[in-house]
Each structure stands twice: as C-alpha cells, then as structure tokens.
Amino acid sequence: AGTARIITFTPSFPYEWILDPRSGKCVQERYLSETPAEFPSMNPYVHGTRGKFVYALSLSSAGGPIYAYGSPQESPRFDSLVKFDLETGAVASKYTMPPKRLLVAEPMFVPKIGKGNPATGGKEDDGYILVMVSDIEHDKMKVSKMQVFDASDLSMGPVSEVDLPELIPFGLHSEWVPFESLGVPSN
C-alpha cells in the first residue's frame, strides 16, 4: 500500500510595506495583487529605491507528488513568470510555460549592457529575465534549460534558451553575477 502524503501550502501574494526610517515604523501596508507569486526579483539599479516593476514566479497548483523533483515531492508547481507593476498592482505581462515544463529557480534580472539604469535615463525594464526550467516526462526530469526573456514584455516568450549539460533540480534560489565582478583576470 502507498503512503498518503498531505501538505499544507498557503500561497503568497505581493505585499508592500512602507517604512519610515526616522520613526522605525511601518506607515503603510497593502496587498499589491491577487495573483499568487513567489521569489520576486527586480532590476538591481533600483534596489533600495521606489522601483516600478518586480518579476516573480507564479503557480497553477500546489501538491504532488512531483516525482521528478526527488525531495520534496509535494511542492508548488511554478509554471508562470509574471511582471508586476508596483504602482498599480496589475500584472504588466505574463508568460505561462508549456505543459510539463516547470520553473525550478527564481527569476534573475540582468540589465542590458549600458542600459536599464533609471539614474542615467535608462528604462527600468530594459534588461533580461533569466530563469531555469526543467522538462518533465513520465515523472522524470528530461532536460533542463536556461531561458532568457525580454524584461519589457514577458508575454513574447523566451528570446533565447540554452540546453544545460546537467539536470537542474527544484532549488529556487539563484543569482546573476556579472563576469567582471568575479575578479577573474581576462586573457
């Protein structure tokens, strides 16, 4: 006999707190959207300022088992990439993965070279969103890819994708580090 598994999952939703650094208090808070979202990312040029956009994973269901993940097998099924307008709370654009393709890592915003910096006249969404995805077939991971989206309009779908040499498990955390930040001498 199989073992029954029951999980509890409460989806999260974009939420805003406005803090007053002088008083150390929250002066305003609100839900930004009714669209569930996890693992938000934004243009690093606007960290610590009032940004307009945030990119996140969204899900169609929670549960399982998703045998291809190994552990945990009960998990949210992240299958959409969303761009939220932080001023209105609206979904500015969205891309839903094809069936049997799941997002396995948080989105990473990468500004286009020489662009994407509002402080120098650039547009905040002038960059790319990188995500890791895995294709599932017969409850097994078949292939993993890195997909690249234009941050200005996710609904256009990936502008590029790269097959990865190894399978990427469900891990969710990721980070973009520009090559020049690694301190590796160039030859």
Side-chain angles (χ1 to χ4, degrees):
T3 303
R5 297 176 190 249
I6 298 172
I7 66 165
T8 300
F9 176 76
T10 303
S12 61
F13 298 88
Y15 199 83
E16 176 183 55
W17 290 273
I18 298 179
L19 307 175
D20 178 354
R22 291 188 189 121
S23 69
K25 295 185 178 182
C26 178
V27 294
Q28 182 180 344
E29 61 180 292
R30 68 183 174 121
Y31 280 101
L32 293 172
S33 176
E34 293 181 3
T35 300
E38 295 270 3
F39 307 102
S41 177
M42 60 192 320
N43 182 333
Y45 286 126
V46 299
H47 286 180
T49 68
R50 188 164 187 85
K52 180 169 173 60
F53 301 112
V54 70
Y55 304 83
L57 304 183
S58 191
L59 61 143
S60 61
S61 66
I66 304 174
Y67 296 107
Y69 285 168
S71 179
Q73 290 181 350
E74 288 79 20
S75 175
R77 298 180 63 88
F78 293 107
D79 58 2
S80 296
L81 184 61
V82 292
K83 173 184 179 181
F84 290 102
D85 180 321
L86 295 175
E87 293 172 1
T88 66
V91 172
S93 64
K94 177 180 179 178
Y95 179 78
T96 300
M97 296 291 153
K100 300 193 183 241
R101 175 165 290 170
L102 299 175
L103 292 145
V104 295
E106 63 192 297
M108 298 167 279
F109 188 99
V110 179
K112 290 180 181 174
I113 295 173
K115 299 183 178 185
N117 188 347
T120 59
K123 291 175 43 184
E124 182 182 333
D125 61 353
D126 203 357
Y128 299 104
I129 301 297
L130 278 55
V131 293
M132 303 297 178
V133 298
S134 288
D135 289 350
I136 310 297
E137 188 174 290
H138 304 296
D139 288 326
K140 295 197 186 286
M141 273 193 277
K142 179 180 168 189
V143 66
S144 293
K145 303 171 184 270
M146 179 183 67
Q147 291 189 317
V148 180
F149 291 80
D150 187 315
S152 67
D153 187 0
L154 303 177
S155 68
M156 294 186 311
V159 296
S160 182
E161 72 177 24
V162 177
D163 286 347
L164 299 175
E166 299 292 331
L167 296 175
I168 304 295
F170 187 62
L172 294 179
H173 295 297
S174 52
E175 182 68 32
W176 169 259
V177 179
F179 181 79
E180 54 275 2
S181 299
L182 296 175
V184 177
S186 59
N187 295 355

